[in-house]
Amino acid sequence: MNEKKRILSGIQPSGDLTLGSYMGAIKNWVALQDDYDCLYCIVDMHAITVRQDPPTLRRRTLEQLSQYIACGLDPKKNILFIQSHVHQHAELSWVLGCFTQFGELSRMTQFKDKSKKHADNITAGLFTYPVLMAADILLYQADLVPVGQDQKQHVELCRDIANRFNGLYSDTFTLPEPFIPKMGTRIMSLGDPMSKMSKSDPDGCVFLMDKPEDIMRKFKRAVTDCEAAVRYDKDAKPGISNLLSIYCTATGKTFEEAEAEFEGQGYGVFKPAVGEAVVELLRPIREQAAELMRDKAYLEGIYKEGAERASYLAEKTLRKVYKKVGFVAR
Ligand code: TYM
């Protein structure tokens, strides 16, 4: 019997992978891969909740797979797959949508933010997005969902939906827990430390595939404050605190160690040092991902096998659910 706990997580290929998604999610996935039974997907169905250019979406999906592997996710230890390849996600999502309240979905912060940003195109898909995310998680009976802070609300809604279904039809779904470590789970924009680093803000955002000179430029321009002391204080010094989080997540140092290292030194020394740490962190990832992109047959082998293995597990849950809600067996 397999005794390891199950993990599922995913990232949208709606933009290039960022330092935020690396530090908030992928880095933790890599750390967990030996101790858990892990599935990591590329959620292309989530990506089309806002308009995407089809060739770009296709390219990004493959790039994301190569970057997952380059970040250290071993395709032999983890199931790596593309969400749209496993049809059970859409099917379970429909059923779960019938157990989710309009009011619950209306309260989701990400929906409120995105519908402001895309006010001319607020689709039903954007609204029901968290239901599809719940299907992603519940299909695999995941125990843990490693995500950044911004996704906690969605995982909590997923628990509520699962709880409701279990209450009505007896135990069907494992109740998942969000897994959010202390450091790096909310990386802020370099241009505006009050808002989250996000792929839609290219100047404040570092992408995994950025060239070293671009990374250095972005860090040298990072918004700070006029106190000139490298000290962690999230409220009074959001810019410096964000840079310290990035530096410590990249180097494995504690805040105290980093503060001592830069004591008495100005931001002119600290900002490029953070840039250098990130350049060195990302260099091997960028190089390996570029190499993997040249081997499309290898990538195809990975995502096809991943979809097959994921689909096998997903089907078991879907059958149970269909039976419980009263569908006639095929
Ligand atoms: P997405 O694609 O916006 O982000 C992917 C992951 O990266 C984390 N993240 C961050 N962490 C720290 N600082 C940041 N600035 C930052 N930006 C992004 C996110 O918290 C997330 O963990 N709905 C999800 C994708 C999804 C999913 C799932 C996740 C779909 N199905 C099932 C887990 C399980 C999303 O939009 O993430």
Side-chain angles (χ1 to χ4, degrees), residues 8-14 17-26 29 41 43 46 64 83 110 114 129 132-134 136-137 145-152 154-155 184-189 195-199:
L8 176 125
S9 198
I11 298 180
Q12 302 189 62
S14 52
L17 284 181
T18 71
L19 187 65
S21 38
Y22 177 76
M23 293 189 160
I26 304 176
W29 302 358
C41 55
V43 291
H46 277 99
Q64 197 166 306
Q83 184 187 33
Q110 185 170 305
K114 285 201 179 176
Y129 175 114
L132 178 60
M133 178 162 162
D136 299 340
I137 298 167
V145 184
V147 283
Q149 191 65 40
D150 62 322
Q151 294 300 317
K152 189 167 175 246
H154 287 160
V155 181
T185 61
R186 194 164 163 77
I187 301 295
M188 309 308 276
S189 161
S195 60
K196 189 185 82 164
M197 179 180 282
S198 119
K199 36 201 161 199

Side-chain angles (χ1 to χ4, degrees), residues 242-258:
N242 185 42
L243 292 176
L244 272 169
S245 295
I246 295 174
Y247 183 72
C248 292
T249 310
T251 57
K253 293 180 184 165
T254 63
F255 288 139
E256 293 72 29
E257 285 168 346

Side-chain angles (χ1 to χ4, degrees), residues 5 113 120 129-130 162 197 245 250 286:
K5 287 200 169 189
D113 289 349
D120 53 341
Y129 175 114
M197 179 180 282
S245 295
R286 191 182 68 246

